[in-house]
Amino acid sequence: MSDLAIPQVKSTSLFPSGFVRDSAAYILSQQLPDGSIPWFEGHFADPWDHVEAAMGLAIAGEFAAAERAYRWLADIQLADGSWWAAYKNGAVDNGERRETNFVAYVATGIWHYYLISGDKKFLQRYWQMVERAIDFVLGLQTEHGEIHWAVDADGKPREDALITGCASVYKSLECAINIACELDCARPEWQRGRSALGEALQHKPERFDRTWESKARFSMDWFYPVLTGAISGEAARARIQQRWDEFVVTGLGCRCVNDEPWVTVAESCELTMALLASGQRTRAEIIYRGLHRWQDSDGGYWTGYVYRDEAVWPEEKTTWTVGAMLLAADALADLTPASGLFTSVRLLSDTAQDAQRVDCFDQLELSGSQG
């Protein structure tokens, strides 16, 4: 562990001068020529965290780099619409499984890019990638509504579900439905799948963590259903309040797990957005302002801090942590048209989705969709 001294936060601003520029520069410095964004130099990239970093680039207006990130995913997408758990140096680094929330998250990234850029041709180019990914994920949904967390190397489902993972998929389905609506491609089965998943997250806790120890010690299980819109309003505020003292360390941020003295920047950013989603802006601002003490001189942010030892740990500045910082900044300060993505649910009307699926394909092929 590093004994790096952590300065006290004195500024009342949401973020320091040059924050967006410096944060994007850090992500750009880690992006590889093929478009992939590893956690940090020499490490692997995984599909979920790669998208998180790409969304940070889009917030900063680095559209070319963000699109290179999505093109990389399109180029390596498997025939069934999925991706392996990790990649490194142009090869598969973890071929043991394919995780459903990793696969679905591409829809969130693509919709996020479109909200900021307004580039409809971008949606058209990546529609088939999104469609194949979402169909893969919903193919692993059970009759109870939850979605199996992964398949193994042979494609066999690992039959259990994670609250955090399914909540992430819930937001991704919202984004996928909006993409389909924007492109006049009716996908009512996606809407049915999202509704069933929401029902499971809200009312069927017994469908999660059935074959392993409960993941309730992780803060993400606490706030992710709020962050992604599965739980909202008064129920969301009650859920946040119920375990607030268990996970939030005053003056530092959000713990990753309830049994370790470790606060993490990314979880604190996501909690910031969950607080905004539940109407608790003052709390959100207090937590977020305190996170900039962990910014390094190169624009990166340290992953976490062990307050018992007064030490930064691990000594890593992950690109997805910086992406989360940018997403939370956007949510707080309305930097882009995508600022409300994680603080509200905005499903486009499906009344215009009357085009037949084959007509949709024909239209996209004429527009230059990827094959």
mmCIF file with all atom_site columns, all heavy atoms in Angstrom, residues 100 104 132-142 145-147 169 173 187-194 197:
data_model
loop_
_atom_site.group_PDB
_atom_site.id
_atom_site.type_symbol
_atom_site.label_atom_id
_atom_site.label_alt_id
_atom_site.label_comp_id
_atom_site.label_asym_id
_atom_site.label_entity_id
_atom_site.label_seq_id
_atom_site.pdbx_PDB_ins_code
_atom_site.Cartn_x
_atom_site.Cartn_y
_atom_site.Cartn_z
_atom_site.occupancy
_atom_site.B_iso_or_equiv
_atom_site.pdbx_formal_charge
_atom_site.auth_seq_id
_atom_site.auth_comp_id
_atom_site.auth_asym_id
_atom_site.auth_atom_id
_atom_site.pdbx_PDB_model_num
ATOM 1   N N   . THR A 1 100 ? -23.474 -11.690 -18.592 1.00 0.00 ? 100 THR A N   1
ATOM 2   C CA  . THR A 1 100 ? -24.599 -11.026 -19.249 1.00 0.00 ? 100 THR A CA  1
ATOM 3   C C   . THR A 1 100 ? -24.603 -9.511  -19.039 1.00 0.00 ? 100 THR A C   1
ATOM 4   O O   . THR A 1 100 ? -24.931 -8.762  -19.963 1.00 0.00 ? 100 THR A O   1
ATOM 5   C CB  . THR A 1 100 ? -25.936 -11.623 -18.779 1.00 0.00 ? 100 THR A CB  1
ATOM 6   O OG1 . THR A 1 100 ? -25.950 -11.707 -17.341 1.00 0.00 ? 100 THR A OG1 1
ATOM 7   C CG2 . THR A 1 100 ? -26.135 -13.011 -19.360 1.00 0.00 ? 100 THR A CG2 1
ATOM 8   N N   . ALA A 1 104 ? -24.599 -6.777  -22.088 1.00 0.00 ? 104 ALA A N   1
ATOM 9   C CA  . ALA A 1 104 ? -25.691 -5.821  -22.266 1.00 0.00 ? 104 ALA A CA  1
ATOM 10  C C   . ALA A 1 104 ? -25.220 -4.376  -22.223 1.00 0.00 ? 104 ALA A C   1
ATOM 11  O O   . ALA A 1 104 ? -25.832 -3.499  -22.854 1.00 0.00 ? 104 ALA A O   1
ATOM 12  C CB  . ALA A 1 104 ? -26.750 -6.045  -21.178 1.00 0.00 ? 104 ALA A CB  1
ATOM 13  N N   . ARG A 1 132 ? -27.756 -8.007  -31.361 1.00 0.00 ? 132 ARG A N   1
ATOM 14  C CA  . ARG A 1 132 ? -27.225 -9.346  -31.100 1.00 0.00 ? 132 ARG A CA  1
ATOM 15  C C   . ARG A 1 132 ? -26.858 -9.501  -29.623 1.00 0.00 ? 132 ARG A C   1
ATOM 16  O O   . ARG A 1 132 ? -27.080 -10.553 -29.017 1.00 0.00 ? 132 ARG A O   1
ATOM 17  C CB  . ARG A 1 132 ? -26.015 -9.603  -31.988 1.00 0.00 ? 132 ARG A CB  1
ATOM 18  C CG  . ARG A 1 132 ? -26.356 -9.715  -33.474 1.00 0.00 ? 132 ARG A CG  1
ATOM 19  C CD  . ARG A 1 132 ? -25.115 -9.614  -34.349 1.00 0.00 ? 132 ARG A CD  1
ATOM 20  N NE  . ARG A 1 132 ? -24.190 -10.709 -34.111 1.00 0.00 ? 132 ARG A NE  1
ATOM 21  C CZ  . ARG A 1 132 ? -22.906 -10.690 -34.466 1.00 0.00 ? 132 ARG A CZ  1
ATOM 22  N NH1 . ARG A 1 132 ? -22.388 -9.613  -35.021 1.00 0.00 ? 132 ARG A NH1 1
ATOM 23  N NH2 . ARG A 1 132 ? -22.155 -11.743 -34.243 1.00 0.00 ? 132 ARG A NH2 1
ATOM 24  N N   . ALA A 1 133 ? -26.299 -8.447  -29.038 1.00 0.00 ? 133 ALA A N   1
ATOM 25  C CA  . ALA A 1 133 ? -25.930 -8.507  -27.625 1.00 0.00 ? 133 ALA A CA  1
ATOM 26  C C   . ALA A 1 133 ? -27.163 -8.669  -26.736 1.00 0.00 ? 133 ALA A C   1
ATOM 27  O O   . ALA A 1 133 ? -27.192 -9.522  -25.834 1.00 0.00 ? 133 ALA A O   1
ATOM 28  C CB  . ALA A 1 133 ? -25.163 -7.240  -27.244 1.00 0.00 ? 133 ALA A CB  1
ATOM 29  N N   . ILE A 1 134 ? -28.192 -7.881  -26.996 1.00 0.00 ? 134 ILE A N   1
ATOM 30  C CA  . ILE A 1 134 ? -29.394 -7.932  -26.158 1.00 0.00 ? 134 ILE A CA  1
ATOM 31  C C   . ILE A 1 134 ? -30.137 -9.251  -26.345 1.00 0.00 ? 134 ILE A C   1
ATOM 32  O O   . ILE A 1 134 ? -30.655 -9.832  -25.371 1.00 0.00 ? 134 ILE A O   1
ATOM 33  C CB  . ILE A 1 134 ? -30.305 -6.734  -26.454 1.00 0.00 ? 134 ILE A CB  1
ATOM 34  C CG1 . ILE A 1 134 ? -29.593 -5.428  -26.078 1.00 0.00 ? 134 ILE A CG1 1
ATOM 35  C CG2 . ILE A 1 134 ? -31.631 -6.860  -25.711 1.00 0.00 ? 134 ILE A CG2 1
ATOM 36  C CD1 . ILE A 1 134 ? -29.177 -5.321  -24.633 1.00 0.00 ? 134 ILE A CD1 1
ATOM 37  N N   . ASP A 1 135 ? -30.181 -9.754  -27.550 1.00 0.00 ? 135 ASP A N   1
ATOM 38  C CA  . ASP A 1 135 ? -30.833 -11.047 -27.769 1.00 0.00 ? 135 ASP A CA  1
ATOM 39  C C   . ASP A 1 135 ? -30.094 -12.158 -27.031 1.00 0.00 ? 135 ASP A C   1
ATOM 40  O O   . ASP A 1 135 ? -30.716 -13.086 -26.489 1.00 0.00 ? 135 ASP A O   1
ATOM 41  C CB  . ASP A 1 135 ? -30.913 -11.357 -29.260 1.00 0.00 ? 135 ASP A CB  1
ATOM 42  C CG  . ASP A 1 135 ? -32.005 -10.561 -29.966 1.00 0.00 ? 135 ASP A CG  1
ATOM 43  O OD1 . ASP A 1 135 ? -32.865 -9.972  -29.283 1.00 0.00 ? 135 ASP A OD1 1
ATOM 44  O OD2 . ASP A 1 135 ? -31.995 -10.524 -31.218 1.00 0.00 ? 135 ASP A OD2 1
ATOM 45  N N   . PHE A 1 136 ? -28.769 -12.076 -26.989 1.00 0.00 ? 136 PHE A N   1
ATOM 46  C CA  . PHE A 1 136 ? -27.993 -13.055 -26.221 1.00 0.00 ? 136 PHE A CA  1
ATOM 47  C C   . PHE A 1 136 ? -28.379 -12.991 -24.744 1.00 0.00 ? 136 PHE A C   1
ATOM 48  O O   . PHE A 1 136 ? -28.639 -14.016 -24.100 1.00 0.00 ? 136 PHE A O   1
ATOM 49  C CB  . PHE A 1 136 ? -26.497 -12.786 -26.381 1.00 0.00 ? 136 PHE A CB  1
ATOM 50  C CG  . PHE A 1 136 ? -25.632 -13.585 -25.436 1.00 0.00 ? 136 PHE A CG  1
ATOM 51  C CD1 . PHE A 1 136 ? -25.271 -14.889 -25.728 1.00 0.00 ? 136 PHE A CD1 1
ATOM 52  C CD2 . PHE A 1 136 ? -25.190 -13.019 -24.239 1.00 0.00 ? 136 PHE A CD2 1
ATOM 53  C CE1 . PHE A 1 136 ? -24.481 -15.630 -24.841 1.00 0.00 ? 136 PHE A CE1 1
ATOM 54  C CE2 . PHE A 1 136 ? -24.405 -13.747 -23.354 1.00 0.00 ? 136 PHE A CE2 1
ATOM 55  C CZ  . PHE A 1 136 ? -24.054 -15.051 -23.655 1.00 0.00 ? 136 PHE A CZ  1
ATOM 56  N N   . VAL A 1 137 ? -28.440 -11.792 -24.207 1.00 0.00 ? 137 VAL A N   1
ATOM 57  C CA  . VAL A 1 137 ? -28.724 -11.611 -22.791 1.00 0.00 ? 137 VAL A CA  1
ATOM 58  C C   . VAL A 1 137 ? -30.129 -12.088 -22.441 1.00 0.00 ? 137 VAL A C   1
ATOM 59  O O   . VAL A 1 137 ? -30.332 -12.837 -21.480 1.00 0.00 ? 137 VAL A O   1
ATOM 60  C CB  . VAL A 1 137 ? -28.525 -10.139 -22.391 1.00 0.00 ? 137 VAL A CB  1
ATOM 61  C CG1 . VAL A 1 137 ? -29.043 -9.877  -20.978 1.00 0.00 ? 137 VAL A CG1 1
ATOM 62  C CG2 . VAL A 1 137 ? -27.051 -9.757  -22.511 1.00 0.00 ? 137 VAL A CG2 1
ATOM 63  N N   . LEU A 1 138 ? -31.112 -11.687 -23.230 1.00 0.00 ? 138 LEU A N   1
ATOM 64  C CA  . LEU A 1 138 ? -32.485 -12.084 -22.927 1.00 0.00 ? 138 LEU A CA  1
ATOM 65  C C   . LEU A 1 138 ? -32.718 -13.571 -23.160 1.00 0.00 ? 138 LEU A C   1
ATOM 66  O O   . LEU A 1 138 ? -33.665 -14.150 -22.600 1.00 0.00 ? 138 LEU A O   1
ATOM 67  C CB  . LEU A 1 138 ? -33.466 -11.250 -23.738 1.00 0.00 ? 138 LEU A CB  1
ATOM 68  C CG  . LEU A 1 138 ? -33.607 -9.795  -23.260 1.00 0.00 ? 138 LEU A CG  1
ATOM 69  C CD1 . LEU A 1 138 ? -34.572 -9.030  -24.149 1.00 0.00 ? 138 LEU A CD1 1
ATOM 70  C CD2 . LEU A 1 138 ? -34.068 -9.745  -21.808 1.00 0.00 ? 138 LEU A CD2 1
ATOM 71  N N   . GLY A 1 139 ? -31.852 -14.200 -23.936 1.00 0.00 ? 139 GLY A N   1
ATOM 72  C CA  . GLY A 1 139 ? -31.921 -15.645 -24.091 1.00 0.00 ? 139 GLY A CA  1
ATOM 73  C C   . GLY A 1 139 ? -31.572 -16.383 -22.808 1.00 0.00 ? 139 GLY A C   1
ATOM 74  O O   . GLY A 1 139 ? -31.826 -17.590 -22.698 1.00 0.00 ? 139 GLY A O   1
ATOM 75  N N   . LEU A 1 140 ? -31.009 -15.660 -21.838 1.00 0.00 ? 140 LEU A N   1
ATOM 76  C CA  . LEU A 1 140 ? -30.633 -16.254 -20.555 1.00 0.00 ? 140 LEU A CA  1
ATOM 77  C C   . LEU A 1 140 ? -31.561 -15.805 -19.430 1.00 0.00 ? 140 LEU A C   1
ATOM 78  O O   . LEU A 1 140 ? -31.245 -15.970 -18.251 1.00 0.00 ? 140 LEU A O   1
ATOM 79  C CB  . LEU A 1 140 ? -29.180 -15.895 -20.231 1.00 0.00 ? 140 LEU A CB  1
ATOM 80  C CG  . LEU A 1 140 ? -28.175 -16.596 -21.161 1.00 0.00 ? 140 LEU A CG  1
ATOM 81  C CD1 . LEU A 1 140 ? -26.825 -15.911 -21.113 1.00 0.00 ? 140 LEU A CD1 1
ATOM 82  C CD2 . LEU A 1 140 ? -28.034 -18.064 -20.787 1.00 0.00 ? 140 LEU A CD2 1
ATOM 83  N N   . GLN A 1 141 ? -32.718 -15.265 -19.793 1.00 0.00 ? 141 GLN A N   1
ATOM 84  C CA  . GLN A 1 141 ? -33.710 -14.872 -18.795 1.00 0.00 ? 141 GLN A CA  1
ATOM 85  C C   . GLN A 1 141 ? -34.588 -16.062 -18.440 1.00 0.00 ? 141 GLN A C   1
ATOM 86  O O   . GLN A 1 141 ? -34.995 -16.831 -19.311 1.00 0.00 ? 141 GLN A O   1
ATOM 87  C CB  . GLN A 1 141 ? -34.573 -13.727 -19.327 1.00 0.00 ? 141 GLN A CB  1
ATOM 88  C CG  . GLN A 1 141 ? -35.528 -13.128 -18.304 1.00 0.00 ? 141 GLN A CG  1
ATOM 89  C CD  . GLN A 1 141 ? -36.165 -11.840 -18.796 1.00 0.00 ? 141 GLN A CD  1
ATOM 90  O OE1 . GLN A 1 141 ? -36.464 -11.687 -19.981 1.00 0.00 ? 141 GLN A OE1 1
ATOM 91  N NE2 . GLN A 1 141 ? -36.373 -10.889 -17.893 1.00 0.00 ? 141 GLN A NE2 1
ATOM 92  N N   . THR A 1 142 ? -34.881 -16.232 -17.161 1.00 0.00 ? 142 THR A N   1
ATOM 93  C CA  . THR A 1 142 ? -35.723 -17.347 -16.733 1.00 0.00 ? 142 THR A CA  1
ATOM 94  C C   . THR A 1 142 ? -37.190 -16.937 -16.731 1.00 0.00 ? 142 THR A C   1
ATOM 95  O O   . THR A 1 142 ? -37.533 -15.764 -16.881 1.00 0.00 ? 142 THR A O   1
ATOM 96  C CB  . THR A 1 142 ? -35.351 -17.814 -15.313 1.00 0.00 ? 142 THR A CB  1
ATOM 97  O OG1 . THR A 1 142 ? -35.914 -16.923 -14.353 1.00 0.00 ? 142 THR A OG1 1
ATOM 98  C CG2 . THR A 1 142 ? -33.842 -17.891 -15.133 1.00 0.00 ? 142 THR A CG2 1
ATOM 99  N N   . GLY A 1 145 ? -38.040 -14.048 -14.432 1.00 0.00 ? 145 GLY A N   1
ATOM 100 C CA  . GLY A 1 145 ? -37.658 -12.685 -14.771 1.00 0.00 ? 145 GLY A CA  1
ATOM 101 C C   . GLY A 1 145 ? -36.195 -12.354 -14.608 1.00 0.00 ? 145 GLY A C   1
ATOM 102 O O   . GLY A 1 145 ? -35.672 -11.461 -15.289 1.00 0.00 ? 145 GLY A O   1
ATOM 103 N N   . GLU A 1 146 ? -35.502 -13.039 -13.691 1.00 0.00 ? 146 GLU A N   1
ATOM 104 C CA  . GLU A 1 146 ? -34.079 -12.746 -13.511 1.00 0.00 ? 146 GLU A CA  1
ATOM 105 C C   . GLU A 1 146 ? -33.283 -13.309 -14.687 1.00 0.00 ? 146 GLU A C   1
ATOM 106 O O   . GLU A 1 146 ? -33.771 -14.152 -15.452 1.00 0.00 ? 146 GLU A O   1
ATOM 107 C CB  . GLU A 1 146 ? -33.566 -13.311 -12.180 1.00 0.00 ? 146 GLU A CB  1
ATOM 108 C CG  . GLU A 1 146 ? -33.149 -14.771 -12.189 1.00 0.00 ? 146 GLU A CG  1
ATOM 109 C CD  . GLU A 1 146 ? -34.307 -15.739 -12.044 1.00 0.00 ? 146 GLU A CD  1
ATOM 110 O OE1 . GLU A 1 146 ? -35.474 -15.313 -12.152 1.00 0.00 ? 146 GLU A OE1 1
ATOM 111 O OE2 . GLU A 1 146 ? -34.046 -16.945 -11.810 1.00 0.00 ? 146 GLU A OE2 1
ATOM 112 N N   . ILE A 1 147 ? -32.041 -12.856 -14.818 1.00 0.00 ? 147 ILE A N   1
ATOM 113 C CA  . ILE A 1 147 ? -31.185 -13.261 -15.934 1.00 0.00 ? 147 ILE A CA  1
ATOM 114 C C   . ILE A 1 147 ? -29.939 -13.928 -15.372 1.00 0.00 ? 147 ILE A C   1
ATOM 115 O O   . ILE A 1 147 ? -29.275 -13.371 -14.473 1.00 0.00 ? 147 ILE A O   1
ATOM 116 C CB  . ILE A 1 147 ? -30.817 -12.038 -16.801 1.00 0.00 ? 147 ILE A CB  1
ATOM 117 C CG1 . ILE A 1 147 ? -32.083 -11.488 -17.488 1.00 0.00 ? 147 ILE A CG1 1
ATOM 118 C CG2 . ILE A 1 147 ? -29.760 -12.392 -17.842 1.00 0.00 ? 147 ILE A CG2 1
ATOM 119 C CD1 . ILE A 1 147 ? -31.879 -10.190 -18.239 1.00 0.00 ? 147 ILE A CD1 1
ATOM 120 N N   . VAL A 1 169 ? -28.232 -4.674  -16.223 1.00 0.00 ? 169 VAL A N   1
ATOM 121 C CA  . VAL A 1 169 ? -28.925 -5.096  -17.442 1.00 0.00 ? 169 VAL A CA  1
ATOM 122 C C   . VAL A 1 169 ? -30.240 -4.334  -17.601 1.00 0.00 ? 169 VAL A C   1
ATOM 123 O O   . VAL A 1 169 ? -30.638 -3.973  -18.715 1.00 0.00 ? 169 VAL A O   1
ATOM 124 C CB  . VAL A 1 169 ? -29.179 -6.620  -17.414 1.00 0.00 ? 169 VAL A CB  1
ATOM 125 C CG1 . VAL A 1 169 ? -30.091 -7.034  -18.575 1.00 0.00 ? 169 VAL A CG1 1
ATOM 126 C CG2 . VAL A 1 169 ? -27.856 -7.385  -17.486 1.00 0.00 ? 169 VAL A CG2 1
ATOM 127 N N   . LEU A 1 173 ? -31.307 -2.462  -20.926 1.00 0.00 ? 173 LEU A N   1
ATOM 128 C CA  . LEU A 1 173 ? -32.509 -2.747  -21.702 1.00 0.00 ? 173 LEU A CA  1
ATOM 129 C C   . LEU A 1 173 ? -33.285 -1.468  -21.999 1.00 0.00 ? 173 LEU A C   1
ATOM 130 O O   . LEU A 1 173 ? -33.833 -1.302  -23.097 1.00 0.00 ? 173 LEU A O   1
ATOM 131 C CB  . LEU A 1 173 ? -33.387 -3.749  -20.961 1.00 0.00 ? 173 LEU A CB  1
ATOM 132 C CG  . LEU A 1 173 ? -32.869 -5.182  -20.929 1.00 0.00 ? 173 LEU A CG  1
ATOM 133 C CD1 . LEU A 1 173 ? -33.712 -6.037  -19.993 1.00 0.00 ? 173 LEU A CD1 1
ATOM 134 C CD2 . LEU A 1 173 ? -32.851 -5.787  -22.328 1.00 0.00 ? 173 LEU A CD2 1
ATOM 135 N N   . ARG A 1 187 ? -39.152 -3.825  -31.082 1.00 0.00 ? 187 ARG A N   1
ATOM 136 C CA  . ARG A 1 187 ? -38.680 -4.993  -30.339 1.00 0.00 ? 187 ARG A CA  1
ATOM 137 C C   . ARG A 1 187 ? -39.508 -5.144  -29.063 1.00 0.00 ? 187 ARG A C   1
ATOM 138 O O   . ARG A 1 187 ? -39.021 -4.939  -27.957 1.00 0.00 ? 187 ARG A O   1
ATOM 139 C CB  . ARG A 1 187 ? -37.188 -4.870  -29.998 1.00 0.00 ? 187 ARG A CB  1
ATOM 140 C CG  . ARG A 1 187 ? -36.249 -4.869  -31.190 1.00 0.00 ? 187 ARG A CG  1
ATOM 141 C CD  . ARG A 1 187 ? -36.466 -6.048  -32.125 1.00 0.00 ? 187 ARG A CD  1
ATOM 142 N NE  . ARG A 1 187 ? -36.345 -7.328  -31.464 1.00 0.00 ? 187 ARG A NE  1
ATOM 143 C CZ  . ARG A 1 187 ? -35.260 -8.071  -31.444 1.00 0.00 ? 187 ARG A CZ  1
ATOM 144 N NH1 . ARG A 1 187 ? -34.162 -7.647  -32.043 1.00 0.00 ? 187 ARG A NH1 1
ATOM 145 N NH2 . ARG A 1 187 ? -35.257 -9.229  -30.847 1.00 0.00 ? 187 ARG A NH2 1
ATOM 146 N N   . PRO A 1 188 ? -40.775 -5.482  -29.188 1.00 0.00 ? 188 PRO A N   1
ATOM 147 C CA  . PRO A 1 188 ? -41.628 -5.607  -27.998 1.00 0.00 ? 188 PRO A CA  1
ATOM 148 C C   . PRO A 1 188 ? -41.143 -6.673  -27.024 1.00 0.00 ? 188 PRO A C   1
ATOM 149 O O   . PRO A 1 188 ? -41.409 -6.577  -25.820 1.00 0.00 ? 188 PRO A O   1
ATOM 150 C CB  . PRO A 1 188 ? -42.997 -5.955  -28.586 1.00 0.00 ? 188 PRO A CB  1
ATOM 151 C CG  . PRO A 1 188 ? -42.712 -6.506  -29.949 1.00 0.00 ? 188 PRO A CG  1
ATOM 152 C CD  . PRO A 1 188 ? -41.508 -5.760  -30.433 1.00 0.00 ? 188 PRO A CD  1
ATOM 153 N N   . GLU A 1 189 ? -40.415 -7.671  -27.509 1.00 0.00 ? 189 GLU A N   1
ATOM 154 C CA  . GLU A 1 189 ? -39.913 -8.703  -26.601 1.00 0.00 ? 189 GLU A CA  1
ATOM 155 C C   . GLU A 1 189 ? -38.875 -8.127  -25.638 1.00 0.00 ? 189 GLU A C   1
ATOM 156 O O   . GLU A 1 189 ? -38.718 -8.621  -24.522 1.00 0.00 ? 189 GLU A O   1
ATOM 157 C CB  . GLU A 1 189 ? -39.339 -9.886  -27.383 1.00 0.00 ? 189 GLU A CB  1
ATOM 158 C CG  . GLU A 1 189 ? -38.115 -9.593  -28.241 1.00 0.00 ? 189 GLU A CG  1
ATOM 159 C CD  . GLU A 1 189 ? -38.455 -9.124  -29.647 1.00 0.00 ? 189 GLU A CD  1
ATOM 160 O OE1 . GLU A 1 189 ? -39.484 -8.455  -29.842 1.00 0.00 ? 189 GLU A OE1 1
ATOM 161 O OE2 . GLU A 1 189 ? -37.646 -9.421  -30.570 1.00 0.00 ? 189 GLU A OE2 1
ATOM 162 N N   . TRP A 1 190 ? -38.162 -7.087  -26.070 1.00 0.00 ? 190 TRP A N   1
ATOM 163 C CA  . TRP A 1 190 ? -37.231 -6.433  -25.154 1.00 0.00 ? 190 TRP A CA  1
ATOM 164 C C   . TRP A 1 190 ? -37.994 -5.721  -24.038 1.00 0.00 ? 190 TRP A C   1
ATOM 165 O O   . TRP A 1 190 ? -37.570 -5.746  -22.880 1.00 0.00 ? 190 TRP A O   1
ATOM 166 C CB  . TRP A 1 190 ? -36.363 -5.425  -25.905 1.00 0.00 ? 190 TRP A CB  1
ATOM 167 C CG  . TRP A 1 190 ? -35.389 -6.037  -26.865 1.00 0.00 ? 190 TRP A CG  1
ATOM 168 C CD1 . TRP A 1 190 ? -35.203 -7.360  -27.132 1.00 0.00 ? 190 TRP A CD1 1
ATOM 169 C CD2 . TRP A 1 190 ? -34.448 -5.329  -27.669 1.00 0.00 ? 190 TRP A CD2 1
ATOM 170 N NE1 . TRP A 1 190 ? -34.209 -7.525  -28.064 1.00 0.00 ? 190 TRP A NE1 1
ATOM 171 C CE2 . TRP A 1 190 ? -33.732 -6.298  -28.421 1.00 0.00 ? 190 TRP A CE2 1
ATOM 172 C CE3 . TRP A 1 190 ? -34.143 -3.987  -27.851 1.00 0.00 ? 190 TRP A CE3 1
ATOM 173 C CZ2 . TRP A 1 190 ? -32.730 -5.950  -29.324 1.00 0.00 ? 190 TRP A CZ2 1
ATOM 174 C CZ3 . TRP A 1 190 ? -33.147 -3.627  -28.753 1.00 0.00 ? 190 TRP A CZ3 1
ATOM 175 C CH2 . TRP A 1 190 ? -32.440 -4.600  -29.477 1.00 0.00 ? 190 TRP A CH2 1
ATOM 176 N N   . GLN A 1 191 ? -39.097 -5.107  -24.393 1.00 0.00 ? 191 GLN A N   1
ATOM 177 C CA  . GLN A 1 191 ? -39.904 -4.434  -23.381 1.00 0.00 ? 191 GLN A CA  1
ATOM 178 C C   . GLN A 1 191 ? -40.478 -5.435  -22.381 1.00 0.00 ? 191 GLN A C   1
ATOM 179 O O   . GLN A 1 191 ? -40.494 -5.184  -21.169 1.00 0.00 ? 191 GLN A O   1
ATOM 180 C CB  . GLN A 1 191 ? -41.015 -3.638  -24.060 1.00 0.00 ? 191 GLN A CB  1
ATOM 181 C CG  . GLN A 1 191 ? -40.489 -2.532  -24.969 1.00 0.00 ? 191 GLN A CG  1
ATOM 182 C CD  . GLN A 1 191 ? -41.605 -1.683  -25.553 1.00 0.00 ? 191 GLN A CD  1
ATOM 183 O OE1 . GLN A 1 191 ? -42.547 -1.329  -24.875 1.00 0.00 ? 191 GLN A OE1 1
ATOM 184 N NE2 . GLN A 1 191 ? -41.481 -1.345  -26.832 1.00 0.00 ? 191 GLN A NE2 1
ATOM 185 N N   . ARG A 1 192 ? -40.929 -6.571  -22.904 1.00 0.00 ? 192 ARG A N   1
ATOM 186 C CA  . ARG A 1 192 ? -41.450 -7.608  -21.998 1.00 0.00 ? 192 ARG A CA  1
ATOM 187 C C   . ARG A 1 192 ? -40.341 -8.137  -21.089 1.00 0.00 ? 192 ARG A C   1
ATOM 188 O O   . ARG A 1 192 ? -40.552 -8.371  -19.894 1.00 0.00 ? 192 ARG A O   1
ATOM 189 C CB  . ARG A 1 192 ? -42.071 -8.745  -22.805 1.00 0.00 ? 192 ARG A CB  1
ATOM 190 C CG  . ARG A 1 192 ? -43.358 -8.352  -23.526 1.00 0.00 ? 192 ARG A CG  1
ATOM 191 C CD  . ARG A 1 192 ? -44.077 -9.577  -24.060 1.00 0.00 ? 192 ARG A CD  1
ATOM 192 N NE  . ARG A 1 192 ? -43.308 -10.269 -25.083 1.00 0.00 ? 192 ARG A NE  1
ATOM 193 C CZ  . ARG A 1 192 ? -43.401 -10.023 -26.387 1.00 0.00 ? 192 ARG A CZ  1
ATOM 194 N NH1 . ARG A 1 192 ? -44.227 -9.077  -26.830 1.00 0.00 ? 192 ARG A NH1 1
ATOM 195 N NH2 . ARG A 1 192 ? -42.685 -10.705 -27.261 1.00 0.00 ? 192 ARG A NH2 1
ATOM 196 N N   . GLY A 1 193 ? -39.161 -8.321  -21.662 1.00 0.00 ? 193 GLY A N   1
ATOM 197 C CA  . GLY A 1 193 ? -38.040 -8.804  -20.857 1.00 0.00 ? 193 GLY A CA  1
ATOM 198 C C   . GLY A 1 193 ? -37.646 -7.818  -19.777 1.00 0.00 ? 193 GLY A C   1
ATOM 199 O O   . GLY A 1 193 ? -37.358 -8.204  -18.641 1.00 0.00 ? 193 GLY A O   1
ATOM 200 N N   . ARG A 1 194 ? -37.644 -6.536  -20.120 1.00 0.00 ? 194 ARG A N   1
ATOM 201 C CA  . ARG A 1 194 ? -37.311 -5.514  -19.132 1.00 0.00 ? 194 ARG A CA  1
ATOM 202 C C   . ARG A 1 194 ? -38.352 -5.478  -18.010 1.00 0.00 ? 194 ARG A C   1
ATOM 203 O O   . ARG A 1 194 ? -38.003 -5.369  -16.828 1.00 0.00 ? 194 ARG A O   1
ATOM 204 C CB  . ARG A 1 194 ? -37.197 -4.146  -19.807 1.00 0.00 ? 194 ARG A CB  1
ATOM 205 C CG  . ARG A 1 194 ? -36.897 -3.008  -18.843 1.00 0.00 ? 194 ARG A CG  1
ATOM 206 C CD  . ARG A 1 194 ? -36.777 -1.681  -19.575 1.00 0.00 ? 194 ARG A CD  1
ATOM 207 N NE  . ARG A 1 194 ? -36.586 -0.586  -18.615 1.00 0.00 ? 194 ARG A NE  1
ATOM 208 C CZ  . ARG A 1 194 ? -37.566 0.058   -18.002 1.00 0.00 ? 194 ARG A CZ  1
ATOM 209 N NH1 . ARG A 1 194 ? -38.833 -0.285  -18.235 1.00 0.00 ? 194 ARG A NH1 1
ATOM 210 N NH2 . ARG A 1 194 ? -37.300 1.032   -17.145 1.00 0.00 ? 194 ARG A NH2 1
ATOM 211 N N   . LEU A 1 197 ? -37.820 -8.420  -15.739 1.00 0.00 ? 197 LEU A N   1
ATOM 212 C CA  . LEU A 1 197 ? -36.619 -8.244  -14.931 1.00 0.00 ? 197 LEU A CA  1
ATOM 213 C C   . LEU A 1 197 ? -36.869 -7.245  -13.807 1.00 0.00 ? 197 LEU A C   1
ATOM 214 O O   . LEU A 1 197 ? -36.449 -7.464  -12.660 1.00 0.00 ? 197 LEU A O   1
ATOM 215 C CB  . LEU A 1 197 ? -35.460 -7.770  -15.813 1.00 0.00 ? 197 LEU A CB  1
ATOM 216 C CG  . LEU A 1 197 ? -34.122 -7.531  -15.119 1.00 0.00 ? 197 LEU A CG  1
ATOM 217 C CD1 . LEU A 1 197 ? -33.636 -8.780  -14.403 1.00 0.00 ? 197 LEU A CD1 1
ATOM 218 C CD2 . LEU A 1 197 ? -33.079 -7.042  -16.122 1.00 0.00 ? 197 LEU A CD2 1
#
